[in-house]
Amino acid sequence: MVGVIDTGGACAEWTFPAEPDAVRSARHAVRDALRQWGLEPALVDVTVLLVSELVTNSLRYTSGPIGVRLVRPAVDGSAPPRAPALLVEVSDPLPDPPRERPAGPDDEGGRGLQLVACTARRWGTRRGRTGKTVWFELPVPG
């Protein structure tokens, strides 16, 4: 894990080399950060699962660094009322967005984006200067 940033408990960011242990390292980093933020265990588990799927997807197709970012926006009175959400972003240097594909019952892969789409409140992709980011939001109870 390289370059950990934590700003005021509302944001945590890591960059992992595109190596086989990146998925395990990302799971541990995300779990630790969300536990420190005091989030519910069920939310922590779902977030770790989805991050694991997206980092695995990045690892399959890139040889560059994989970024993971967690943002828990502060709730203030200036924005329209909305349930609080956890924003999760996984970035890599490839510009092409991932594609959902149907997975057969015996396929070992192909379900990561389906899991994200079925579980997240919202999700999407965006291009950056040097690659893409896949992001999703999960509602934060309470």
Side-chain angles (χ1 to χ4, degrees):
M1 172 172 36
V2 215
V4 176
I5 302 169
D6 187 355
T7 57
C11 180
E13 187 172 350
W14 305 269
T15 301
F16 302 96
E19 296 174 354
D21 69 339
V23 177
R24 181 179 53 82
S25 297
R27 280 195 306 259
H28 287 291
V30 167
R31 184 177 306 282
D32 289 348
L34 297 179
R35 284 180 176 167
Q36 285 180 350
W37 291 354
L39 296 178
E40 292 187 8
L43 177 61
V44 172
D45 291 343
V46 167
T47 306
V48 168
L49 172 66
L50 298 181
V51 165
S52 179
E53 292 293 333
L54 293 178
V55 170
T56 298
N57 198 42
S58 287
L59 189 58
R60 282 182 87 177
Y61 299 106
T62 188
S63 59
I66 299 167
V68 176
R69 184 171 180 247
L70 308 174
V71 179
R72 186 173 179 194
V75 178
D76 63 21
S78 64
R82 187 170 176 195
L86 174 67
L87 172 65
V88 181
E89 300 175 332
V90 176
S91 304
D92 65 48
L94 292 177
D96 301 326
R99 292 179 304 185
E100 282 187 80
R101 63 181 176 91
D106 296 328
D107 290 347
E108 290 188 23
R111 292 180 184 81
L113 286 179
Q114 291 175 356
L115 278 171
V116 171
C118 291
T119 307
R121 177 166 73 184
R122 298 183 324 142
W123 78 280
T125 62
R126 70 174 180 273
R127 287 186 128 176
R129 280 182 267 153
T130 60
K132 68 166 171 314
T133 298
V134 180
W135 61 269
F136 63 89
E137 283 183 356
L138 294 172
V140 176

